[in-house]
Every structure is written in C-alpha cells, then in structure tokens.
Amino acid sequence: MKTETYSISGMTCASCSRAVERVTGKLPGVREAVVNLATERLSITYDEDALSHEMIIAAVDKAGYGAKELVESKTVTIPVSGMTCASCVRAIEKGVAKLDGVLEASVNLATEKAQFVYNPEKVRLSQIKQKIRDLGYEPRDIEVSQRQDADADRKALEIKGMWRRFMISAGFSIPLLYVAMGPMIPWLAWPVPVWMNPMNYPLVYALICLVLVLPVLWSGRRFYSVGFKALVHRAPNMDSLIATGTGAAMLYSLYSVFMISQGDFRSVNHLYFETAGVIITLIQLGKTLEAVSKGQTSEAIKKLMGLTPKTAIVLHDGIQAEIPVEEVEAGDILLVRPGEKIAVDGIVLSGDSSIDESMLTGESMPVEKKQGDSVTGASLNKTGSLTYKATRVGQDTTLSQIIRLVEQAQGSKAPIARMADVISGYFVPVVIGIAFLAATAWLLSGESVVFSLSIFIAILVIACPCALGLATPTAIMVGSGKGAELGVLVKSGEALETAHKIDTVVFDKTGTLTKGEPEVTDIVSFEGFEQGQVLQLAASAEFGSEHPLGGAIVRKAESSSLPLLPVTGFQAIPGHGISASVDGKDILFGNEKLMRLNGIETASFQSQAESLAAQGKTPMFLAVNGKPSGLVAAADVLKTSSFQAVKRLKEMGIHVVMITGDHWKTAEAVAREAGIDHVLAEVLPGAKADEIRKLQAEKRIVAMVGDGINDAPALAQSDVGIAIGSGTDVAMASADIVLMKSEITDVVSAIRLSRATIRNIKQNLFWAFFYNLVGIPVAAGLLYIFGGPLLNPVFAAAAMSLSSVSVVTNALSLKAFKP
C-alpha cells in the first residue's frame, strides 16, 4: 500500500470534497481517500499494482476538479557564471535534468540564474552543483526556498487574483445596480439620464444593463465552468447552486430583452441582470474573505518554518566556512556563536552555553549545554560558543518532524467530520429539488413567473454547504497549530477529538511522574559519625561503581563540595553492594543482606530503614571497620509538577491511575505523594497494555502517559497515547500526542485544548445547520405566506457569503486558547 498527497483545485464547498472522495474512493485498489477542504488536499492510500498516479489525476479531472501530486520537493535558484549563449542554457538544462530526482530544470540567460525543482531524497544539491561544473560552468551562492514557501506564494497569488476579480465585478455591478434601481425607487432621487430611463427607452435600458453585467459574468466565469461540469458528472456543489440560480436569472432576462425588442415593453419589469451581477459580486467578496481567513489557520506552520536558520558555519581542517543549511550533512562539525541559531540537530563536542529552546518546546528558561549534550536545530544560542557534530539534517531534524506532524494533523479528518460529509453529499441535490418544488408550487398557486423565479434563485443562493465543509477542518487546523505553539503536538484530528472524551488517565511512574533517576533523600549517622562523613565515605566507595544509586550518592557528595577520599581494594558484590578500603578504613556499603553476610548487627539500623522503605525510598547500610555507621536513602523523586497535574485532572472529573513495575510499598508511597488513589504495581512492561485493556473493558476512555520507549505497547493500546519526551523518534511513532516540554501539566493542556476545539467544531456545525434550516424556508417564502417579507436573492447571497466567513472566524478564535 502506498499513501500519496495531492493538491486539489476547484473545490468550493463540502459537496466538492465529498465528490472527490467518492470518485477516488471507487478507483481499483484504493483503501482510503480523505479530502480536507480547508487545506485543499487529497490523501489517498492505494495498491500501486492496481492503480497509477495518472489514473488518480484523470478521475479527479473527470469529476470537474484539478489534481497535482505534492512531491516533497525543493526549489533552488543557482546563479551560474560562464554562460554566453542559448546553447549554454540548453546544455545546462539537458545535463542537470538527466540526474535522477531532478523534476524541473530552467535556465535564464539574461539573469544568469538556473532554477531547479528536485527531490532531496534522490539527489543532493551538491550533485546538481557538481554537474554544472562538469558541464563547464561555475555555480555561485544559492537562493533556496522549500515547497511550503512556494505553496504559500501560490496561495498569496491566488488571493490576489480573487481580489482582482472581485474589484472588476464590483466595478461593473455597482453602476449596474445604480442604473437598474434608480428609476425603480423614486424616493431615492438617484439622477438617471432620460435616455437610460426604462419607461422612456426600455430597449436602450435593457441593453445597457446587459453590457454592464457581461464583465461581471466573465469575472465569475469559474462558477459556471465548475458548477455545470459538476452537474454533468452528477456531483453538484456550491458552484452548481450559484450557476443554476444566476443562470436562470440571466436566461429569463435575455428572453425579456428579446420580448422588448419585439415591442412588449412590459417585459422591462422582468429583467434580473442586476440580481445576477450583485449575487456574483457578493459571493466573490465572501469567498475572498474566506480565503484570507483560511490563510490565517496555518500560521503555526509558517511560524515553525520561519525558525529555520538559512546558513551554518562548518569547520573543515580548522577552517570556517559559511554554507547554506541545506548543504549540511550528518557528521559535519559545526560552530555556533552567541546570538546565532543552532543550524541542525547535533551533539556538543566542546564549549559551554545556555540554549533558548522556547521556540520548539514553549519552555521559557534557557537550558545549559555542555560536552555530550544534544542540541536542537532552530534553537537560539544565548551565551558561549559551541562546536557540535551534526546528527540529523534536512527532513530528519526535530523541527522538520514537528512541521510534518502539524501538517499531518491539520490535513487529517476527525470522526465528527464524517457526519458533515455524509450530509453535504446529499445537501446540494436536495436543495435543487426544494428550489424546483417551491418555485413550481408558487407558480401553481397563481403567482407570476417573476415571483417564482425569485423564490427559485433565493433558495439556490442562500443554501451554502461551504459552512458545513469548513466547520471541522478549520477548527482542527487552528487547534493543532495552537498546540504546536504550546509544545503539545497532536498527530491527528482523530486524536484531537478523542482526547475530549478521556475519563481516565494512566501515568507511568518512572520518568513520567518521577524524574527518572534516583536522588539522595536522607542521610542518617550513628554515634561517632556525622552526616557529612557518612556521605563522604559512601560516595568515595561508590566512585568506581556503575550502579545508578551509586551515581546518585557521588552526585550528592559533589554538590555538597565534599572531596572524595582515596580508595583501594574496591569489590562489587552482585545483589548485595560493595566493599572497599577508603582512606585506610574498611568499608561495606549495600543492603541488609550484605550486613548479615558479614556478621554486622543490624538491629540499630532497623527502625530507620523500615521507616525510609515505607516512604518508597531505598535504604543503603554503611559499616566502617565492622561497625554500623549510617544509612543513606535514595529515591526516584516526584517531579515538582506531578501533584499539580494530578490535582487539575481530578478537578476536571478525570480518574487518575499510576502504573509501575516497582513493588507495592514504593509505588504506594509515590502515588500518595502525587495524590493518586488507584495504583497498579509490580506490572511487567509487556503487561501494561493488558492493564489498559482491563480499564477499557470497564467502558473507560483511557489515555496512557509514558516516555514513548518502554511504554510503546501501552501507548498504542490506549485510546489516546501521550508521550513525555522532546520529540524522540520512538515517542512520535508510538503516541498520538507528544509533549515537547516533558512537562506533565501539559497533559491537562492537551485535554483542555481538545475540549476547546471540539466545542468550537460543535458551535460551527450548529450555526451551519441552523443557518440552512432557517434560511431555506425563509427563501422558499414561508414568512410571505403569513404576511411577512419575501427574501430578495441579493440578500440571500450576502447571507450565504457571511455564513462561511463567520465559521472560519469562529475557528480562528481558538488562537486565544490559554493552557
């Protein structure tokens, strides 16, 4: 199975996206076809043995839309010196185009620049430059823009074109409205020349209106080309409604012009040119404002893309060279100076500095970095200079992965969207049927053709499936984008929706609720010894040990500025502890078994040891020269934010569970400190997923929170897997939501963001449905039956345009969400 993404052009409403899904879903070998109206993307999963790229494009084209495969390509502009004539141009274009992975090659002799579109997975930029050199020319410094930049430019150009068409339409429809309405409403006192007056020169008046409406129809010709094509293919959309309604008005008006030319001057009252013109103008304004608003929904992606540095300083044989970041390769040694951005992900080789990672994690405090620490591309170096080795470059960097995840989430479809899709699939045909029935009923009731036509047009124009189609995807785009800003990466629309239903959160203990590494918590000294001496002797003895508890003791001594004493005769005793000679003293340090094995009395240790163990701490016994001397206790301590996170989840009505492989006594002590009542202890890593299943069997919607590595099965089994970790590959692969800051309180933020997004979607769907449920009967003349007003088609067009803009604007209100 292969999954590809296509850019779909020509869609205007939910019926369009439904039509594209339907035609592509019927193709042989297709497992899934999902269209997102807001991003204008088709994601299709299919068997490449049964279906080809060309067949997909042909099917979409036949349905009346355009399809173009989105290749993860880059566009590079390389200034080239040495060209003298058109033959040079042809040589470079032909030569570079032969490289596997080069999609387009275009050379401009006048500007001496060559532009190439290429797939970075197949061909390196350095290979393109080398090919130019091989042909006898010299590539100079380059200008690079990624596909997303080109896509943004295309959108900007498209919006510019929409504004231009609207201005043309408005420029002719305003005088058309003036000419048409001035003589009809005497109290307005609009001055109109006598030769334009319909009562004096009806044919001249009619022809002037026709001439004024033609540029308006031309500027809105897309409504007709797409709308009628969709009707022919039995997949009517919003354009079909507009084309049918205004087309009917135009045809009836042209018939009236013919009747006027035949001497029937009363037909001047049956001209609908201004109605058709103003409707098209208002709808163009609405679609343009909608496009501008939709552009704001993907600002999170633009911000993330803008973080990428343009250049990097590479060190080669001690020489510094500034190169475009696209040319950095894994293994390169890079230099970053104070105030500069880290170019790509890497490992610090030398230097000390503080790094501002807030643009990626949302964490405001700079992080101290030294030799051996990892650094992330696009983060800001604040103080010292660092040299680091590039480990992940290009599309593999953390930033690139984040951008891909956000794009993936914004392009995905939440389950709640399926309801709107099903309804919109039947919506337009039903509306056309209602319009015909209502117009026919009024005609049979004795009303005029003009009256019935007005009803017909108003119903077609006011019924807007756009709002239905935009209600869900725009909210998901803004919601997932807001999450990315907060360091909460939601991988799909489905995860974003499911998270709002979570009623049980299961926390892994180690590394999630706790810090993940032991710390010394207590030091008990016996007669003849001080706490500092106990710690100093224990740390000195443990200095040669690789045990995590030994490392914690050494770190505690170093932080207390205690010098380590000379050690001889070090011996590790597996399962018990260590023995050594420290500063001439015989030291035994380990568990109670070690003491008994060496005949050391432990009764004086016992009460303190049991008290520490009851608190979830691990007591370690110290004996000096065969006598009990002290206790050192260590524990994996609770994160400072764990208690607060658990408290907030409980306030939200969510049941909190802790799961761990530790023994019950330790687990209960940690759970008690965190405020958790339900504990699952002594659970093997492989059995964690089984415990999640048991909770799900109780009809609970379960979120599992873990580190994304040893908790992968449980994360996958849960309804929503939430990974704690700064964007590791495993975390991103196994979880539905990734918390970039590793802050447990962000679990609360993720659930609240989901609730806010779903609430926004429901508001959008309510208003979309409400608008149509009220608008269509009013347009059909329901109020008129009871003595109320009749809805003018022009006002129907204005209301239709407003509905789509209001839905997108409401989705944008999610930007104000605060964790």
Side-chain angles (χ1 to χ4, degrees):
M1 285 290 176
K2 184 179 183 181
T3 300
E4 288 181 337
T5 303
Y6 291 80
S7 172
I8 305 297
S9 58
M11 296 192 301
T12 56
C13 65
S15 299
C16 301
S17 58
R18 181 74 175 167
V20 175
E21 282 182 352
R22 190 165 56 247
V23 297
T24 52
K26 290 179 180 177
L27 291 172
V30 173
R31 187 175 74 183
E32 184 182 35
V34 178
V35 175
N36 187 310
L37 177 63
T39 59
E40 297 177 343
R41 297 283 189 270
L42 161 67
S43 176
I44 183 168
T45 304
Y46 66 96
D47 181 355
E48 46 193 328
D49 293 330
L51 186 64
S52 69
H53 164 73
E54 290 74 19
M55 290 167 69
I56 295 171
I57 290 179
V60 175
D61 185 62
K62 190 176 179 182
Y65 308 93
K68 185 178 180 182
E69 185 182 3
L70 290 176
V71 181
E72 289 296 327
S73 61
K74 290 185 179 180
T75 300
V76 58
T77 300
I78 305 178
V80 179
S81 58
M83 297 187 295
T84 57
C85 65
S87 298
C88 303
V89 170
R90 184 68 181 150
I92 295 173
E93 287 179 344
K94 260 184 105 175
V96 176
K98 287 179 181 177
L99 291 173
D100 184 30
V102 174
L103 306 174
E104 294 177 26
S106 175
V107 180
N108 188 315
L109 180 62
T111 60
E112 293 188 329
K113 287 183 179 180
Q115 188 177 79
F116 304 104
V117 179
Y118 69 102
N119 184 343
E121 294 179 3
K122 292 184 177 181
V123 64
R124 295 292 302 268
L125 188 57
S126 56
Q127 290 175 275
I128 294 174
K129 294 171 81 172
Q130 187 56 50
K131 184 66 178 178
I132 295 171
R133 290 191 188 98
D134 292 344
L135 292 167
Y137 307 95
E138 186 57 38
R140 301 198 303 270
D141 292 339
I142 62 174
E143 307 158 18
V144 177
S145 64
Q146 296 184 335
R147 173 188 62 77
Q148 293 95 332
D149 294 327
D151 193 50
D153 291 341
R154 180 185 63 80
K155 284 282 187 188
L157 197 63
E158 188 178 300
I159 291 173
K160 189 176 179 180
M162 292 174 77
W163 277 118
R164 186 176 63 253
R165 287 190 292 275
F166 164 70
M167 295 304 292
I168 292 171
S169 186
F172 284 92
S173 61
I174 290 173
L176 172 62
L177 188 65
Y178 183 93
V179 170
M181 301 303 292
M184 303 295 180
I185 312 175
W187 54 268
L188 284 176
W190 286 351
V192 176
V194 175
W195 55 273
M196 281 190 186
N197 194 301
M199 298 298 106
N200 299 327
Y201 299 93
L203 185 58
V204 172
Y205 166 80
L207 291 174
I208 288 172
C209 289
L210 175 59
V211 168
L212 287 172
V213 82
L214 289 176
V216 180
L217 296 177
W218 178 82
S219 70
R221 62 193 180 280
R222 211 192 117 279
F223 293 124
Y224 300 96
S225 60
V226 175
F228 288 131
K229 196 171 185 179
L231 278 173
V232 169
H233 291 288
R234 290 180 296 179
N237 55 23
M238 189 208 79
D239 291 333
S240 304
L241 297 180
I242 296 166
T244 305
T246 58
M250 283 300 301
L251 287 174
Y252 190 73
S253 298
L254 289 171
Y255 171 74
S256 297
V257 172
F258 172 75
M259 294 303 294
I260 293 169
S261 69
Q262 298 300 307
D264 183 5
F265 298 147
R266 287 176 300 176
S267 293
V268 78
N269 296 316
H270 301 160
L271 296 175
Y272 267 85
F273 289 130
E274 79 284 355
T275 300
V278 173
I279 285 173
I280 288 173
T281 301
L282 286 172
I283 291 171
Q284 282 186 323
L285 175 61
K287 299 306 289 180
T288 304
L289 292 174
E290 180 188 315
V292 171
S293 298
K294 279 164 65 178
Q296 296 177 39
T297 61
S298 57
E299 278 186 0
I301 291 286
K302 295 174 188 173
K303 286 180 182 177
L304 288 170
M305 286 169 53
L307 297 176
T308 310
K310 303 300 180 188
T311 60
I313 299 174
V314 64
L315 299 177
H316 186 67
D317 294 333
I319 299 172
Q320 297 181 15
E322 188 169 347
I323 64 171
V325 73
E326 291 81 9
E327 294 189 25
V328 175
E329 297 189 27
D332 284 349
I333 308 301
L334 304 173
L335 169 70
V336 60
R337 294 173 294 222
E340 295 178 342
K341 285 185 177 180
I342 305 291
V344 295
D345 295 2
I347 300 291
V348 177
L349 299 178
S350 64
D352 294 280
S353 183
S354 59
I355 304 291
D356 180 0
E357 298 180 339
S358 60
M359 66 288 294
L360 294 176
T361 65
E363 179 58 58
S364 58
M365 290 296 292
V367 182
E368 296 300 320
K369 299 289 182 179
K370 59 184 185 303
Q371 184 179 353
D373 290 340
S374 61
V375 289
T376 307
S379 54
L380 182 64
N381 184 33
K382 301 285 283 186
T383 52
S385 294
L386 296 174
T387 58
Y388 62 102
K389 182 180 180 180
T391 54
R392 293 195 290 187
V393 300
Q395 297 299 310
D396 297 326
T397 63
T398 300
L399 180 62
S400 294
Q401 289 184 50
I402 292 170
I403 291 172
R404 272 202 304 277
L405 279 179
V406 178
E407 284 183 326
Q408 176 185 322
Q410 292 187 341
S412 65
K413 187 169 287 188
I416 197 171
R418 290 171 195 149
M419 173 183 66
D421 286 347
V422 171
I423 292 171
S424 62
Y426 297 102
F427 184 82
V428 176
V430 168
V431 167
I432 292 174
I434 291 172
F436 273 111
L437 287 173
T440 304
W442 282 110
L443 198 61
L444 293 175
S445 72
E447 293 290 348
S448 66
V449 173
V450 173
F451 183 95
S452 301
L453 181 63
S454 179
I455 293 288
F456 178 74
I457 296 170
I459 293 173
L460 291 181
V461 171
I462 200 168
C464 177
C466 296
L468 286 174
L470 292 169
T472 301
T474 49
I476 287 175
M477 286 178 73
V478 179
S480 55
K482 186 65 182 179
E485 288 179 21
L486 299 171
V488 177
L489 292 185
V490 185
K491 289 174 63 175
S492 68
E494 186 169 357
L496 190 61
E497 178 177 343
T498 306
H500 92 282
K501 296 184 285 188
I502 290 169
D503 56 25
T504 303
V505 174
V506 179
F507 286 105
D508 174 53
K509 180 183 82 71
T510 306
T512 302
L513 286 170
T514 64
K515 292 183 178 180
E517 58 179 30
E519 290 183 7
V520 173
T521 57
D522 299 87
I523 301 170
V524 180
S525 60
F526 293 150
E527 190 175 343
F529 288 90
E530 295 178 355
Q531 288 186 348
Q533 285 179 288
V534 171
L535 178 61
Q536 186 180 35
L537 289 168
S540 299
E542 285 284 5
F543 187 70
S545 170
E546 294 181 357
H547 197 282
L549 293 176
I553 293 167
V554 172
R555 287 195 299 274
K556 179 67 174 176
E558 289 174 346
S559 66
S560 302
S561 301
L562 292 173
L564 299 183
L565 303 171
V567 178
T568 57
F570 174 85
Q571 183 183 0
I573 306 168
H576 294 78
I578 60 169
S579 68
S581 176
V582 179
D583 199 27
K585 300 180 181 70
D586 292 331
I587 299 295
L588 287 173
F589 186 62
N591 56 25
E592 190 174 0
K593 290 179 184 177
L594 179 65
M595 300 296 116
R596 289 176 181 169
L597 189 68
N598 287 274
I600 296 171
E601 180 269 321
T602 59
S604 55
F605 288 82
Q606 211 62 44
S607 60
Q608 291 100 325
E610 288 176 359
S611 174
L612 291 168
Q615 298 171 44
K617 300 169 183 176
T618 302
M620 291 165 283
F621 300 79
L622 176 70
V624 180
N625 294 329
K627 294 182 179 181
S629 305
L631 283 173
V632 178
D636 183 7
V637 298
L638 203 68
K639 289 179 180 176
T640 54
S641 57
S642 294
F643 178 79
Q644 193 65 30
V646 172
K647 180 184 175 184
R648 289 180 188 171
L649 287 170
K650 285 183 172 181
E651 288 171 353
M652 293 165 66
I654 294 173
H655 181 61
V656 183
V657 180
M658 187 185 83
I659 191 167
T660 179
D662 285 354
H663 56 79
W664 279 100
K665 193 171 283 188
T666 302
E668 286 175 343
V670 172
R672 191 164 50 249
E673 190 180 352
I676 297 174
D677 304 317
H678 189 172
V679 181
L680 301 171
E682 298 180 11
V683 180
L684 296 173
K688 288 182 179 179
D690 295 330
E691 295 294 337
I692 300 294
R693 284 191 201 95
K694 290 176 185 177
L695 290 169
Q696 290 171 327
E698 299 173 12
K699 306 298 182 186
R700 293 181 180 274
I701 307 298
V702 182
M704 171 68 191
V705 186
D707 61 16
I709 301 173
N710 57 1
D711 298 314
L715 287 168
Q717 175 60 41
S718 62
D719 296 286
V720 179
I722 302 177
I724 299 280
S726 300
T728 62
D729 292 335
V730 179
M732 288 187 172
S734 57
D736 301 300
I737 298 174
V738 180
L739 307 182
M740 295 297 292
K741 288 188 286 186
S742 299
E743 273 291 343
I744 198 169
T745 49
D746 282 343
V747 174
V748 180
S749 299
I751 296 173
R752 284 183 173 163
L753 177 64
S754 171
R755 291 182 177 182
T757 303
I758 297 305
R759 185 165 57 248
N760 190 281
I761 288 173
K762 288 178 177 177
Q763 290 169 355
N764 287 346
L765 287 173
F766 170 79
W767 287 113
F769 283 119
F770 179 80
Y771 163 83
N772 284 295
L773 286 173
V774 172
I776 292 174
V778 170
L782 183 64
L783 296 180
Y784 186 78
I785 294 173
F786 298 102
L790 190 67
L791 184 64
N792 188 297
V794 170
F795 291 115
M800 188 273 272
S801 298
L802 188 62
S803 68
S804 297
V805 175
S806 63
V807 162
V808 178
T809 303
N810 187 50
L812 289 172
S813 68
L814 275 172
K815 287 187 175 184
F817 172 83
K818 292 182 179 178

